[in-house]
Amino acid sequence: MAEFTLHDTTSAPEEVRPRLEAAQASMGFIPNLFAKMAEAPAAVEAYQELDAIFARTSLSAVEREVVLLATSVYNRCHFCVAAHSGRAQKAGMDAADLEALRRGGDLPNPRLDALARFTRAVVDQRGWVDDATVERFLEAGFERRQVLEVIIGVSIKTLSNYTNHITATPLNKELEPLAWDAAA
């Protein structure tokens, strides 16, 4: 397996150091995802910019975390499931919905369940979801624009999930209480 450096603010390429320093200042640590992505500064920039764009969508903070978690669980990304479990808690997601998402199961909240199901369909079918799937999503109370906003979230997680798979990103100690195992 190819080895990728777990960069810090001294080993990372100069152009990405401000992004790592900003992450450390806002979160209290540099997520190992960013430390691995720092090998290609454009990857860190792409992730952070797309995440900022996703934050401006019409989906609520909890709904955005549903998209990010549903994608990460489907893609079996231990790092992103742990990281977004913490973000989901901070956003106020109900514990039963979070646990169901982490299991890949049905969520107690019908609206969030419809969102998770639609997200999984987008990932599973690589965007080739049929009209009936889109209609079920819309009938759950979502808008057409949110169909496309889900795709933004799936895009973010595809970037990070695949990065974590290829670079074997270890979990930060700060995320260990939220550790997730795809086999469980």
Side-chain angles (χ1 to χ4, degrees), residues 33 37 47 77 80 156-165:
L33 167 65
M37 281 183 162
Y47 182 89
C77 182
C80 287
I156 296 165
K157 287 298 97 185
T158 301
L159 173 62
S160 62
N161 294 168
Y162 289 10
T163 297
N164 289 323
H165 296 334

Side-chain angles (χ1 to χ4, degrees), residues 5-14 16-17 20 30 35 38-39:
T5 302
L6 192 64
H7 285 286
D8 60 27
T9 55
T10 60
S11 67
E14 185 68 35
V16 76
R17 289 180 187 173
L20 297 181
I30 297 171
E39 192 73 30

Side-chain angles (χ1 to χ4, degrees), residues 8-52:
D8 60 27
T9 55
T10 60
S11 67
E14 185 68 35
E15 64 193 281
V16 76
R17 289 180 187 173
R19 289 184 177 277
L20 297 181
E21 290 165 353
Q24 186 165 17
S26 70
M27 294 184 244
F29 66 99
I30 297 171
N32 286 340
L33 167 65
F34 296 166
K36 291 284 188 161
M37 281 183 162
E39 192 73 30
V44 176
E45 181 181 7
Y47 182 89
Q48 290 178 339
E49 294 300 320
L50 198 52
D51 191 50

